[in-house]
Amino acid sequence: MKISIGDVVLPGDYCEEISQVAEKSKVIIGPGLRKEVDRVYITKPGVLKKRNPGTFWVDSYQKRYVPSRGENVIGVVVQKAGDIFRVEIGGSITAALSYLSFEGATKKNRPEVQVGDVVYAKMLVASKDMEPELVCVDSHGKKGRLGVLSDGFVFKCSLNLIRKILNPNCPLLETLKNEWPFEVAAGMNGRIWIKANSMRETIAVGNAILGAEYLNDEEIRSMCNNIAAILAGHVS
Amino acid sequence: MASRKKPQLPKSVLDMKFMKKTKDRIEKEIENTQDIEGLYSNVITNEMRHASGNYISESSFVYCEDLLEGRLSFKGMNPEIERLMALEYKKDDDDTSEIKKDVSDDILSKKMESLKKRKWSSSPSECIIKKKKNK
């Protein structure tokens, strides 16, 4: 069926608007879209979205993580195998993380990573036919925001929720950030790690994030203010 | 493509006696490449050859939706992360202010001053322009 931007789409539908834009300029076709010889076809059910200039994707509900290059993910180290760590990231197979891809690591100076540690890493290689590969450094060899996550609390959620809270327009973190100190790491594989000073505060952050899944911006704001008020009342 | 660009020996040289081995080799190479083209000619369509590169496929949502970095810290929980966040925020700020101002304030004021001076000095030319307009 022929569809346009903003419609609910199903696999097999096609969009002529994308082809029209592509005649004049470059277009980026994101997840859920596939260029065939004659048309651009939809491959996932969801809502067709567009961002100017010329970026298209299908916003679909998904819980299964499919690794893709350049994404930051949260994984659990499950095995040390010689030169690499095997990291469970929720994909079809475990990802490989070389012990040399940590800041300041050399063959003699191995990083201190144990089985069971939670790591925040960037997907370096994500191919259909190969084991995904992670790194904990950027191209300059600096660790930046990546590395082992110590303490804190990890929970799982849908991939949509991660995208929702990391959207620059989402009021969730904007409202919570002035309330109490906390740290959060959101992996594109549907895992969130949070850390706060007390258990009560940690649970409050976790509940706020999980509660935001089906709320609109206004409701998120009032929910966050509610949680903050309850927390402040109990603490003082 | 690379084989086509390779310098080829002229036929007269290849016909010489001592070049027999090379001649055989070159003939074999040509035969091989022709075979490969023939082998896939029914699979590779013209459309595949002329498929334009206007489509860039991107498998990640991060670049489509322009999402934030996933690691954040607030109110001094992790000073190291907050330093990085501040740096990034500052960089974004600089970018926008640079876009707004093509010409910096200093340069603009100097330029305006010089323009004013020129107006004082070039009053006769102004008269000429006025005259022209009258015509």
Side-chain angles (χ1 to χ4, degrees):
Chain A
M1 203 178 92
K2 205 172 110 182
I3 40 89
S4 51
I5 310 296
D7 283 355
V8 172
V9 296
L10 288 171
D13 289 345
Y14 58 91
C15 183
E16 273 172 5
E17 277 175 60
I18 300 175
S19 320
Q20 281 162 14
V21 175
E23 278 168 16
K24 286 173 221 142
S25 58
K26 293 228 178 251
V27 291
I28 299 170
I29 49 174
L33 293 171
R34 189 184 156 108
K35 167 85 175 72
E36 286 295 330
V37 176
D38 52 342
R39 289 173 181 149
V40 176
Y41 283 99
I42 310 288
T43 57
K44 276 182 190 174
V47 180
L48 184 63
K49 294 270 174 89
K50 180 192 182 185
R51 190 165 68 91
N52 286 328
T55 307
F56 300 88
W57 74 95
V58 178
D59 193 13
S60 60
Y61 184 79
Q62 194 173 337
K63 288 172 103 170
R64 161 75 61 199
Y65 180 61
V66 181
S68 73
R69 195 187 137 86
E71 289 184 341
N72 290 347
V73 296
I74 291 175
V76 181
V77 179
V78 289
Q79 191 190 12
K80 278 189 193 176
D83 293 353
I84 58 162
F85 302 110
R86 293 212 189 284
V87 182
E88 206 279 305
I89 52 165
S92 54
I93 46 166
T94 56
L97 173 62
S98 165
Y99 74 88
L100 289 172
S101 55
F102 284 86
E103 189 181 63
T106 56
K107 286 215 162 184
K108 282 195 177 162
N109 180 22
R110 286 188 171 231
E112 279 182 29
V113 181
Q114 310 299 330
V115 170
D117 277 359
V118 176
V119 290
Y120 189 59
K122 193 175 267 302
M123 197 63 75
L124 181 70
V125 175
S127 149
K128 274 182 208 165
D129 313 307
M130 288 196 312
E131 186 183 28
E133 197 180 323
L134 298 168
V135 284
C136 278
V137 285
D138 61 12
S139 48
H140 304 291
K142 292 272 186 295
K143 68 171 183 256
R145 300 164 183 212
L146 308 170
V148 176
L149 301 171
S150 50
D151 304 331
F153 173 64
V154 179
F155 60 93
K156 292 181 187 174
C157 63
S158 74
L159 305 189
N160 298 62
L161 184 56
I162 303 282
R163 298 208 303 273
K164 186 172 185 176
I165 62 168
L166 290 184
N167 198 308
N169 302 323
C170 178
L172 181 83
L173 293 171
E174 206 57 38
T175 320
L176 286 182
K177 75 178 183 187
N178 298 320
E179 301 294 344
W180 64 88
F182 68 94
E183 200 183 342
V184 56
M188 289 308 292
N189 57 341
R191 289 183 191 175
I192 299 180
W193 171 88
I194 47 176
K195 184 181 170 185
N197 283 329
S198 68
M199 198 202 291
R200 190 182 290 277
E201 284 169 358
T202 309
I203 293 169
V205 178
N207 282 345
I209 291 172
L210 285 176
E213 176 141 29
Y214 302 112
L215 302 183
N216 63 26
D217 286 1
E218 203 42 56
E219 286 167 336
I220 289 174
R221 261 188 219 106
S222 73
M223 177 197 65
C224 289
N225 290 333
N226 245 341
I227 289 175
I230 293 167
L231 199 70
H234 277 284
V235 168
S236 58
Chain B
M1 288 298 270
S3 62
R4 273 178 212 165
K5 280 175 190 170
K6 244 193 215 167
Q8 283 179 344
L9 291 166
K11 217 180 172 189
S12 55
V13 177
L14 283 174
D15 281 341
M16 286 176 191
K17 226 178 190 179
F18 67 94
M19 293 298 275
K20 198 165 183 290
K21 267 192 180 175
T22 318
K23 198 184 172 187
D24 286 351
R25 206 197 65 212
I26 288 172
E27 272 173 4
K28 225 180 212 177
E29 269 179 16
I30 291 168
E31 220 169 78
N32 276 346
T33 51
Q34 276 172 352
D35 275 358
I36 288 169
E37 272 169 21
L39 195 63
Y40 294 110
S41 64
N42 56 337
V43 184
I44 298 171
T45 58
N46 257 351
E47 273 149 341
M48 280 160 98
R49 288 209 183 91
H50 301 298
S52 65
N54 253 0
Y55 292 92
I56 304 161
S57 48
E58 171 60 64
S59 60
S60 169
F61 283 106
V62 179
Y63 306 105
C64 292
E65 294 190 43
D66 200 19
L67 300 177
L68 297 170
E69 276 279 328
R71 182 94 189 265
L72 302 157
S73 163
F74 302 108
K75 289 198 113 183
M77 192 69 203
N78 188 340
E80 203 180 334
I81 300 291
E82 282 185 26
R83 193 173 51 82
L84 289 172
M85 281 166 68
L87 277 177
E88 201 160 279
Y89 182 72
K90 212 174 154 192
K91 212 166 67 183
D92 286 354
D93 230 33
D94 285 354
D95 285 351
T96 51
S97 62
E98 262 179 22
I99 289 165
K100 275 176 195 164
K101 278 180 194 165
D102 269 349
V103 183
S104 80
D105 291 352
D106 292 356
I107 294 171
L108 190 71
S109 62
K110 272 180 198 165
K111 200 85 185 171
M112 287 307 282
E113 225 150 87
S114 67
L115 276 176
K116 269 183 195 168
K117 273 179 197 165
R118 210 180 284 168
K119 262 187 189 171
W120 281 110
S121 63
S122 65
S123 47
S125 65
E126 267 178 24
C127 295
I128 295 164
I129 293 167
K130 275 178 189 170
K131 272 179 192 170
K132 273 183 185 171
K133 274 181 186 171
N134 288 337
K135 278 175 188 176

